[in-house]
Amino acid sequence: MEDRLFRDAMGRFATGITIVTMDDEGQDRGMTVNAFMSISLEPKLIAISIDHTASMYEKLMKADTFGVSVLKDNQQDYSMIFARQKEADGPIPFEYLDGVPVIENSLAALSCKVYKKVEAGDHTIILGEVTKLKIESGEPVIFFGGKYRNLHS
């Protein structure tokens, strides 16, 4: 089957948008990731899937901790900035959970320590054990069919 057909089929699954963040020698770094899911309640595990060609791939492979921020519908610009689709017009509002940078006022923010890494084709699945979390009220930004959406569109 063709890659485009596979991508189009996978795009039929609506996902939320997350920003995966880490501290890189004192500088906060992030990337847009929609391949995110919860895995286990005991221990509290999540998974992210990172393409081997992603700009932060090598840094994430060396990291012991990372953050995940689930974006609100009014934070779509952050997704575009971290996906390099748009330039930031100001500083990104980071806050810290357990010493890990996350996006301030996101729908949910998690600090994680790396639990396990699993090679899977051209991606690596990183399992993270959640060490601290924070939730806020609001609605999610959603990605479906190659477009950003919200619950009301």
Side-chain angles (χ1 to χ4, degrees):
M1 90 188 62
E2 295 178 22
D3 289 351
R4 182 77 254 168
L5 178 62
F6 183 77
R7 285 182 65 112
D8 288 348
M10 296 304 100
R12 297 292 184 243
F13 181 68
T15 65
I17 302 291
T18 70
I19 304 296
V20 172
T21 47
M22 61 177 287
D23 180 320
D24 179 25
E25 298 176 4
Q27 186 168 2
D28 299 330
R29 300 217 185 267
M31 66 183 286
T32 301
V33 173
N34 70 340
F36 164 83
M37 63 188 267
S38 64
I39 299 292
S40 168
L41 282 173
E42 194 52 48
K44 291 170 181 50
L45 299 176
I46 57 92
I48 56 173
S49 180
I50 308 296
D51 189 311
H52 292 165
T53 63
S55 60
M56 282 182 40
Y57 178 78
E58 292 300 326
K59 294 181 186 309
L60 278 168
M61 290 305 101
K62 296 175 186 171
D64 295 325
T65 60
F66 62 94
V68 178
S69 303
V70 179
L71 297 184
K72 289 183 182 179
D73 57 3
N74 66 353
Q75 295 176 318
Q76 176 181 321
D77 283 353
Y78 298 148
S79 173
M80 297 173 76
I81 291 165
F82 286 110
R84 297 185 175 162
Q85 298 169 338
K86 175 180 183 169
E87 289 293 320
D89 57 2
I92 302 298
F94 288 107
E95 62 180 334
Y96 298 86
L97 285 179
D98 232 7
V100 177
V102 293
I103 303 295
E104 191 174 276
N105 296 318
S106 54
L107 203 53
L110 315 168
S111 61
C112 303
K113 64 180 180 180
V114 173
Y115 183 82
K116 187 174 189 178
K117 297 173 189 163
V118 179
E119 294 295 315
D122 58 5
H123 281 61
T124 297
I125 299 166
I126 302 173
L127 298 176
E129 184 171 0
V130 177
T131 59
K132 193 167 186 176
L133 62 83
K134 178 180 173 182
I135 60 173
E136 302 260 347
S137 61
E139 299 291 333
V141 63
I142 296 171
F143 202 71
F144 175 77
K147 295 179 184 173
Y148 291 99
R149 309 194 186 227
N150 59 49
L151 291 179
H152 307 294
S153 66

